[in-house]
Amino acid sequence: MDPAAPAREAGVSDDPRASIESIITPLPTPENGVPVPDLALARQRIDSIDDRILDLLAERAEVVGAVRRAKQASGAPALDPEREKALLERLLERGAGRFPKPAILAVFREILSGCVSLQARVTVAYLGPQGTYSHAAARALFGYAPQYIEEATIDGVFESVRRGRAVYGVVPIENSTEGSVAGAIDALIEGGCRIRRELVLPIKHCLLSNVESLSEVRRVYSHPQALAQCRKYLANNLPQAQIVHTASTALAVREAGGDASGAAIGSSLAGEIMGVPVLREGIQDIAFNATRFVMIGKDDAKPTGRDRTTFTFIIADETERGALRRTLGVLEDNGVNMTRIESRPSRDRAWRYVFVIDVEGHREDENVAAALAALETRVQALTVLGSYPRYPDAEKK
Ligand SMILES: O=C(O)C(=O)C[C@]1(C(=O)O)C=C[C@@H](O)C=C1
């Protein structure tokens, strides 16, 4: 048996394998004289460790009760994404090489999710149905405990948060292959919600089907964007299949589940939810395919030292030559690094634009505050859409 297999099955993709190997090796063989451990005894020990973990969780829940009372006194919200981020980062560092990193994240994600639910009922709207990539992003951000509200459109997610039906929402705003999600940017510009946090999820498209081999597939269902991201794969591997468009990848998986010669392009999460097996994984044409999602809400994020600020403005006089260049110069003058710019139609007058800017730093950071104050005097309708912690992996890519 490959000694690294258990670690791989546990989802260890990068570094911790070596030290985990050292825990599980050397394996006993008839030649090496390594004693065979007693399985029943090992399981007894596991049971007693599990009891201790549970006792510790109960103790943690008691402390969270105190946190809840402290927060109620000050009016602070139950969920604190900055605290969660710091807590998870600390634990990942502490656990490095001792336990698989994705498992540390998953375990503590759910502990936090459960502890938030002990304090308040958290409602989260996302672009549904269940099994979409937005659903996966929402679960990565909030875990299993919140009450999830499926919305059929991105506008629906924003409306849910604006009207207080949901405390938070999760929407995609940018894809590394397809670019900006215009509907989400426009809804942010419309107002009433702030960006609270960002998350970059690698999008690994799967081919899901009840058939056992590719040659049996007659129809491939999916959302046009997912199909476009797997165009070459389809041409090379499924030239015989008819393409059927669906409103979402999750709905595609549902369709494929009911079609004896059908397959869908979607997430493994959709397959899990709808009971359709994954036939092939990672079939997107460009290996690095990622979507940036944002958590939206009404409250504001505190500075963490590694933040991003998104704001919008309209150039006061768009006929003035060099106006945009001079306006953006204000950022450089204040030592602020701009990471993204795009424009959307202002919708109040033809050929007038709202510029959407991302910069590094929090609006309370001295340089960002100074830049925003200087911009205020130059532009129209300067609006900060949020200052929020930067997703660490977004910087490496
Ligand atoms: O520290 C807090 O503010 C808590 O509410 C506790 C706790 C936790 O369980 O550790 C729970 C919810 C928050 O989102 C962050 C952390």
Side-chain angles (χ1 to χ4, degrees), residues 247-270:
S248 76
T249 52
L251 289 175
V253 177
R254 189 181 292 164
E255 290 291 328
D259 179 343
S261 335
I265 296 177
S267 68
S268 55
L269 176 66

Side-chain angles (χ1 to χ4, degrees), residues 60 64 67 71 78-81 83-84 87 111-112 115-116 119:
R60 194 181 196 284
V64 168
V67 170
K71 283 184 170 181
L79 189 99
D80 186 334
R83 166 69 182 152
E84 291 195 357
L87 183 153
I111 291 177
L112 285 169
C115 287
V116 173
Q119 299 183 55

Side-chain angles (χ1 to χ4, degrees), residues 48 86 114 142 164 170 203 264 373:
S48 108
F142 295 95
V170 177
I203 303 294

Side-chain angles (χ1 to χ4, degrees), residues 74-332:
S74 69
L79 189 99
D80 186 334
E82 292 73 54
R83 166 69 182 152
E84 291 195 357
K85 183 171 178 271
L87 183 153
L88 291 172
E89 278 170 8
R90 188 185 71 81
L91 291 169
L92 280 174
E93 197 172 318
R94 188 176 158 82
R98 298 161 72 199
F99 200 65
K101 208 168 142 179
I104 296 178
L105 257 186
V107 166
F108 281 94
R109 171 65 275 147
E110 290 310 324
I111 291 177
L112 285 169
S113 182
C115 287
V116 173
S117 72
L118 291 175
Q119 299 183 55
R121 191 169 144 269
V122 175
T123 41
V124 179
Y126 69 92
L127 184 63
Q130 285 193 18
T132 57
Y133 290 102
S134 291
H135 184 206
R139 283 233 305 231
L141 286 165
F142 295 95
Y144 281 87
Q147 187 199 336
Y148 284 111
I149 301 172
E150 287 171 34
E151 293 290 349
T153 62
I154 288 180
D155 275 330
V157 176
F158 277 85
E159 269 308 287
S160 234
V161 176
R162 284 190 195 109
R163 290 171 185 268
R165 215 158 81 88
V167 183
Y168 299 101
V170 177
V171 289
I173 62 162
E174 194 181 357
N175 174 267
S176 62
T177 313
E178 299 289 319
S180 264
V181 180
I185 306 286
D186 289 343
L188 275 169
I189 293 170
E190 230 177 284
C193 294
R194 281 184 191 286
I195 302 176
R196 277 300 275 112
R197 198 171 161 186
E198 66 178 1
L199 170 77
V200 177
L201 267 197
I203 303 294
K204 264 199 193 167
H205 289 303
C206 295
L207 190 70
L208 303 111
S209 179
N210 285 314
V211 308
E212 295 203 338
S213 78
L214 292 182
S215 59
E216 295 170 61
V217 175
R218 293 281 161 268
R219 277 163 298 282
V220 176
Y221 300 87
S222 202
H223 186 274
Q225 288 223 357
L227 289 163
Q229 290 166 24
C230 305
R231 193 170 47 83
K232 283 192 202 145
Y233 178 87
L234 292 172
N236 294 338
N237 298 281
L238 291 163
Q240 79 282 9
Q242 178 200 349
I243 304 294
V244 185
H245 288 188
T246 55
S248 76
T249 52
L251 289 175
V253 177
R254 189 181 292 164
E255 290 291 328
D259 179 343
S261 335
I265 296 177
S267 68
S268 55
L269 176 66
E272 203 182 290
I273 291 168
M274 288 166 203
V276 184
V278 171
L279 190 61
R280 293 284 186 278
E281 234 177 350
I283 63 164
Q284 66 281 359
D285 295 334
I286 299 176
F288 182 75
N289 182 39
T291 297
R292 186 173 161 224
F293 293 88
V294 289
M295 175 198 292
I296 53 169
K298 287 193 167 162
D299 51 346
D300 236 347
K302 291 164 295 205
T304 66
R306 280 164 58 80
D307 303 294
R308 193 187 308 287
T309 295
T310 301
F311 61 90
T312 60
F313 63 78
I314 294 173
I315 295 284
D317 178 3
E318 67 272 24
T319 60
E320 186 193 321
R321 195 184 304 160
L324 178 61
R325 186 181 56 76
R326 273 193 298 282
T327 303
L328 295 178
V330 170
L331 299 175
E332 198 184 343

